[in-house]
């Protein structure tokens, strides 16, 4: 099976940047679709971005489009999320996810999840 671990969360002021890392281990495949989700207290998990194994198909949630960039390094089994121009509404726990199939914006499309990393953006 696959294990995922997120790193890079923290506290920043609005307008600044953070870069998140997702390190995969175990029975990983370069063809796995990987994605980022986030969740604020009392709210449902929200789709952030998705990238397929070949790095040719990339999608973003409407609230982060134009500000965030998803990427992956298959040789290092690592996925990244570069977050620029952060806003207070970006605050939440960010989760790394992976799936065998062609994952979409639903959390149900992914069978492997990390533990999450907290991102806090202050005004």
């Amino acid at each position: 099976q696959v294990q995922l671990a997120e790193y890079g969360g923290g506290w920043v002021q609005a307008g600044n940047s953070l870069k998140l890392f997702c390190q995969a281990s175990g029975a990983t495949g370069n063809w796995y679709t990987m994605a980022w989700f986030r969740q604020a207290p009392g709210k449902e998990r929200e789709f952030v971005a998705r990238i397929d194994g070949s790095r040719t198909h990339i999608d973003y949630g409407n609230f982060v489009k134009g500000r965030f960039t998803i990427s992956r390094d298959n040789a290092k089994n690592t996925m990244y999320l570069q977050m620029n121009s952060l806003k207070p509404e970006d605050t939440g726990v960010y989760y790394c996810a992976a799936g065998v199939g062609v994952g979409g914006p639903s959390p149900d499309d992914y069978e492997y999840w990390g533990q999450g990393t907290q991102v806090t953006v202050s005004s």
Side-chain angles (χ1 to χ4, degrees):
Q1 62 180 22
V2 176
Q3 293 83 43
L4 304 173
E6 305 94 337
Y7 303 95
W11 177 89
V12 297
Q13 288 187 309
N16 288 349
S17 299
L18 279 177
K19 189 172 185 177
L20 303 183
F21 306 78
C22 175
Q23 184 66 53
S25 60
T28 58
N30 293 340
W31 43 268
Y32 274 45
T33 296
M34 302 186 72
W36 290 97
F37 291 81
R38 67 187 185 187
Q39 188 168 22
K43 302 190 69 175
E44 294 184 354
R45 195 160 295 188
E46 179 184 35
F47 171 73
V48 176
R50 172 191 63 179
I51 185 169
D52 75 328
S54 63
R55 306 183 299 275
T56 59
H57 295 89
I58 298 174
D59 295 290
Y60 295 95
N62 290 333
F63 294 110
V64 304
K65 192 174 300 182
R67 298 186 296 119
F68 291 8
T69 302
I70 188 172
S71 61
R72 65 191 291 171
D73 187 335
N74 291 338
K76 297 180 178 179
N77 293 320
T78 304
M79 181 178 62
Y80 311 91
L81 184 68
Q82 178 66 49
M83 304 185 294
N84 298 326
S85 302
L86 283 163
K87 305 175 181 179
E89 48 263 45
D90 294 319
T91 295
V93 178
Y94 282 69
Y95 295 92
C96 173
V100 174
V102 182
S106 173
D108 295 335
D109 294 335
Y110 304 89
E111 53 258 39
Y112 304 107
W113 293 85
Q115 81 289 341
T117 185
Q118 177 70 42
V119 173
T120 303
V121 184
S122 62
S123 299

